[in-house]
C-alpha cells in the first residue's frame, strides 16, 4: 500500500467549491480506477489555505498508471480551483488508526 500526499493552496473564496469537487473526484476515482482505495482531506488550523489530500492506493504502480502525465482528467477541476504545491508518495508501513466508537 502507498499513500499519496497532495498539498494544495486553496483561496478562501474557493474552499467550498474545492471541497465539493474533491468529494466528487475522490469518489469517482475510487469507483472507477483500479487500485484506488479512497482519500481523506485535512486543512491546516494555522493556515486555512493549506490543504492536504491523502489518497490510498494498492501499489505505487497502480497510482503511476492513474497519474500518467500528472494531469489526470479526473483532477483537472481541482487544479482549476487551487494551486497544487506538491505530490509525494509514501510507502505505508503500518496503520493503527481506528474508527471512533459510536
Amino acid at each position: 500500500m502507498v499513500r499519496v500526499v497532495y498539498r494544495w493552496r486553496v483561496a478562501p473564496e474557493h474552499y467550498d467549491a474545492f471541497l465539493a469537487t474533491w468529494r466528487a473526484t475522490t469518489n469517482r476515482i475510487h469507483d472507477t480506477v483500479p487500485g484506488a482505495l479512497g482519500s481523506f482531506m485535512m486543512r491546516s488550523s494555522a493556515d486555512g489555505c493549506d490543504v492536504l489530500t491523502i489518497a490510498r492506493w494498492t501499489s505505487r504502480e497502480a497510482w503511476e498508471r492513474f497519474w500518467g502525465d500528472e494531469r489526470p482528467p479526473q483532477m483537472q477541476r481541482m487544479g482549476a480551483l487551487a494551486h497544487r504545491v506538491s505530490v509525494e508518495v509514501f510507502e505505508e508501513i503500518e496503520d493503527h488508526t481506528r474508527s471512533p466508537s459510536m
Side-chain angles (χ1 to χ4, degrees), residues 1-2 35 37 56-65 89:
M1 302 282 178
V2 296
L37 299 175
R56 190 176 196 198
W57 290 81
T58 56
S59 67
R60 183 183 188 104
E61 294 76 24
W63 174 75
E64 287 175 346
R65 279 191 297 277
V89 179

Side-chain angles (χ1 to χ4, degrees), residues 25-38:
T25 300
T26 199
N27 287 328
R28 186 170 43 257
I29 291 168
H30 183 251
D31 291 343
T32 62
V33 179
L37 299 175

Side-chain angles (χ1 to χ4, degrees), residues 37-96:
L37 299 175
S39 181
F40 64 93
M41 179 187 285
M42 298 188 306
R43 186 178 186 188
S44 171
S45 59
D47 177 356
C49 295
D50 190 14
V51 174
L52 299 179
T53 57
I54 302 173
R56 190 176 196 198
W57 290 81
T58 56
S59 67
R60 183 183 188 104
E61 294 76 24
W63 174 75
E64 287 175 346
R65 279 191 297 277
F66 164 75
W67 192 242
D69 65 0
E70 297 187 23
R71 296 254 328 143
Q74 298 94 325
M75 294 181 69
Q76 288 179 5
R77 177 74 178 132
M78 291 172 60
L81 293 167
H83 171 69
R84 190 181 67 227
V85 176
S86 63
V87 178
E88 191 169 355
V89 179
F90 291 84
E91 181 181 348
E92 185 175 308
I93 305 302
E94 292 186 39
D95 182 349
H96 290 269

